[in-house]
Amino acid sequence: MSFSENAITVLKSRYLKKNGLGEVIETPDEMLQRVAKHIAQTEKDFDYWYEKFYEFMASLKFLPNTPTLVNAGNPLGQLSACFVLPVGDSMEEIFEAVKQTAIIHKTGGGTGFSFSRLRPKGEVVQSTKGVASGPVSFMKVFDCATESVKQGGVRRGANMGILRVDHPDIMEFIHCKEKEGEISNFNISVAITDDFLEKLANDEEYDLINPHTKKSVGKLKASLVWDEVATNAWKNGEPGLVFIDRINRLHQIKGVEIEATNPCGEQPLLPYESCNLGSINLSKFVKDGAVEWEDLKETVHTAVRFLDNVIDVNNYPIDQIKNETLKNRKIGLGIMGFADMLVDLNVAYNSQEGINIASKLMDFIQSQSHIASSDLAQKRGCFPAWEESIYKDQNILMRNATTTTIAPTGTISMIADCASGIEPYFTLAYHKQVLDGKKLKYVNERLLDRLQSSGINVEDFLEELIANGGRLKGLNVPKSLEDLNEVFVTSMDMDYTAHIDMQAAFQAYTDNAVSKTINMPNSASVDDVKQAYLYSIKKGLKGLTIYRDGSRNVQVLVSASNK
Ligand code: CDP
């Protein structure tokens, strides 16, 4: 096993079993044995699958999402990261959803909601003759509840709040997180409809619909709302966008409506659905400058089987969630360490070749995961809602309604010690302040290897690199290192189109959605943000999160995990 020092620190603080005194009573190896044992329990040939599951985690080729690592074989037993709960337009339904949220957070899951069914602020409430508080006010209730419940006892819960662009309270929603610290346990996104985009293209007004009466209660100029969204995203990265009609058009199950996604946006789900994720660490699949396709194929097949087993051994926190999840049996296999893979292939992230590799890779992973799910369907049966799915039309048996999702891998990439998700490196080197005032130096390992074999004074060069914000670009790089400039790129070295092109390349071959931050320099304008929006629509994304450098005091996404 090859956990790094950083990985062991993370594992000790959040993942390994502790006794009543808070002392760690499990080794990382025992953790993986516990997980493999729990997930292999449904297998007839337990020994074989236990060994396979253990081996592909121990070699850090694959890791499941955090709740699986923490809870498998432990009393909580809740293994999924992603949930969507419906919020109905009555006090009973709203507070039922608050309660369900608390229960899910307690077990380590994250929750997404659409607040679009709630009547707008100020509408008279028949039973009390009072006035309705509106979606934003109720979001604050969910936010407070989240604040008090630590996820699985280890981290604060994460939420996604979504409001349709045609909800009468849309303007209040767009501004609801403007003040730093407000509703801080939520990410927020505006659900953009096709009708809205059409009105925007024609520079027209669109109708605001009261979800309670289904009647139009006013109009807004589409360009005005677009401007407000872009201005706020420019100011502090929120709201994000989800292209909700597009998500529904591409949904694998017919006759049902998706309203929301999980907290980081990569997993659109039906009300009460949950999904478990797992990610393949691509940094382990390059040998002598070439992708090891056979090994990757085998890993995809094992991962699909693993994630399908998770559905059956999962301890669902609420009966409705169990029922809805078992109908479609969605799983989300994704990747991490993509930036590492590109460096090992000597290819720049922001190049056509980089995009080509992304497309080829995800096409391969998606089609192999479909073959794996189809093989499982022959043995274990199709998912129960298969008759209502696109797979019936195509006459393809499937065990799972979806197989692929690209998650941020915020924590599991630290455990695997690789670049997170499909993000480029955020920085190549930095000083990290540790508790006793000492400074630790972090350096990208692949870069360090190359520096050490180049014959330069590595220490001096690293100090210059750190002073340059951890970027090679703009630095006086010695001649012997010039070829590194192109390949060791960071997220700030490329413009937004390169980020969106990469997200689009992956989205084209992903059943669910892709988590990615579109980084922009501090100097970007509101107009640049709007251009990025239009470009993302043209490229077929399901959603978009932009972040302008330095626009938030506390940069939540800019963590060491993005390195
Ligand atoms: O790396 P890890 O498995 O911990 O999670 P991730 O890939 O960063 O996030 C995947 C999903 O886990 C998110 O979209 C959320 O649904 C959930 N999550 C959460 O509930 N709370 C967090 N603090 C982080 C993630």
Side-chain angles (χ1 to χ4, degrees), residues 15 64-67 81-82 108-111 151 155-158 262-266 277 407-413:
Y15 290 74
N65 58 206
T66 292
C82 312
T111 38
Q151 266 180 334
R155 59 184 184 186
R156 181 96 11 96
N262 70 332
C264 302
E266 72 276 13
L277 312 175
T409 71
T411 323
I412 59 167
S413 64

Side-chain angles (χ1 to χ4, degrees), residues 85-133:
L85 290 173
V87 186
D89 186 36
S90 69
M91 279 300 171
E92 287 76 10
E93 289 165 292
I94 293 168
F95 282 87
E96 184 61 26
V98 172
K99 177 180 151 193
Q100 292 170 338
T101 302
I103 294 171
I104 291 170
H105 287 177
K106 211 176 81 178
T107 68
T111 38
F113 317 87
S114 164
F115 291 96
S116 306
R117 299 187 205 184
L118 301 191
R119 69 193 72 188
K121 187 175 179 170
E123 194 184 275
V124 174
V125 180
Q126 279 305 323
S127 58
T128 60
K129 301 292 176 229
V131 289
S133 319

Side-chain angles (χ1 to χ4, degrees), residues 404-419:
T404 42
T405 301
I406 299 184
T409 71
T411 323
I412 59 167
S413 64
M414 289 194 230
I415 298 173
D417 208 19
C418 64

